Amino acid sequence: MNAVPIEPEPRSGEANMAADAALLDAAAAGTAGGRWYRWSEPTLSLGHFQKGTDLDEATLPDLPRVRRLSGGGAIVHHHEWTYALAVPRGHRLAARPEQFYEAVHAELIAALAAVGVTARLRGKGAGDGPEPTLCFLRSDPRDVVTTAADGAVRKIVGSAQRRRKGAVLQHGSLLVATSPHAPDAPGLRELAGLTAGQAETVVRDAAVRFGRLLVGTCPAD
């Protein structure tokens, strides 16, 4: 497979979720695929399993809402690039959830390093206690993080998965800049001085890297 497509025009939240669902359907039928995309307006996506009783509505912005196929916390999609990758049963990345996360995040870390941004996996020691409503305020060992000038460890990529008939969809957000609708989640512009052009370079590089990941297969169990 060549580089995964980079969609030139942003789409609505509903259109983006439908396109991700189509990727998972295709993977369930045996075809791997992926895409990079943006959002036509600031949108709040809720994790598939988030219930009304789980949400701190007082902290959530009044934005158009969609529900993702994947789990995890709510995300304000605004100044970001979003990726989606789907692999069929038998693909090496479908074997274990953590393997898919780590492989994709390693490629993103490499693409960020190429433009001078130092990032890493959070690793063990993620926070305990009640989880915040917003994904980018949560902690997971597989988060991609960078260290801010004040020494704080900040999440810059958050990803989640959904499985169906052995196929796996993984999608995630690369936080380019802070949204006024989620001011507590700084982006790469604020944390590392990343420009919009550099962010596009990261996306193009990662698109090629993701294409290589999607090629790999192994026999089905």
Side-chain angles (χ1 to χ4, degrees):
M1 173 178 284
N2 297 322
V4 302
I6 302 171
E7 297 189 354
E9 298 297 331
R11 299 199 206 187
S12 70
E14 290 185 358
N16 275 326
M17 295 302 91
D20 283 3
L23 283 176
L24 181 55
D25 288 342
T31 302
R35 66 191 190 105
W36 274 105
Y37 59 94
R38 291 169 293 162
W39 304 70
S40 58
E41 61 181 338
T43 302
L44 182 72
S45 77
L46 302 178
H48 183 75
F49 302 103
Q50 279 188 304
K51 300 177 182 179
T53 53
D54 298 331
L55 304 178
D56 182 359
E57 289 286 353
T59 67
L60 295 178
D62 183 16
L63 296 173
R65 293 188 180 189
V66 294
R67 189 168 291 276
R68 300 191 308 274
L69 284 171
S70 62
I75 300 177
V76 174
H77 302 281
H78 192 185
H79 300 308
E80 69 169 65
W81 279 93
T82 311
Y83 76 86
L85 301 171
V87 295
R89 176 180 174 83
H91 193 285
R92 63 185 179 86
L93 294 179
R96 294 182 294 111
E98 60 271 21
Q99 184 175 358
F100 204 163
Y101 285 123
E102 291 169 3
V104 170
H105 287 179
E107 298 296 355
L108 284 169
I109 289 168
L112 286 164
V115 297
V117 176
T118 300
R120 60 177 175 82
L121 296 181
R122 186 187 299 274
K124 295 181 180 180
D128 297 323
E131 289 188 311
T133 297
L134 292 178
C135 167
F136 274 88
L137 303 183
R138 295 183 175 190
S139 297
D140 183 273
R142 291 176 295 273
D143 291 338
V144 178
V145 299
T146 192
T147 303
D150 63 0
V153 175
R154 294 289 191 173
K155 183 174 182 174
I156 52 174
V157 177
S159 300
Q161 295 178 358
R162 179 65 182 271
R163 289 179 173 261
R164 179 183 297 160
K165 297 180 180 178
V168 188
L169 168 73
Q170 179 173 308
H171 50 192
S173 298
L174 174 68
L175 194 57
V176 176
T178 305
S179 169
H181 304 292
D184 293 333
L188 284 161
R189 181 175 65 190
E190 294 76 24
L191 294 169
L194 195 76
T195 66
Q198 287 175 315
E200 291 178 3
T201 298
V202 171
V203 168
R204 288 193 297 269
D205 186 359
V208 174
R209 294 172 179 274
F210 290 171
R212 293 172 184 157
L213 283 179
L214 293 181
V215 170
T217 59
C218 65
D221 294 334

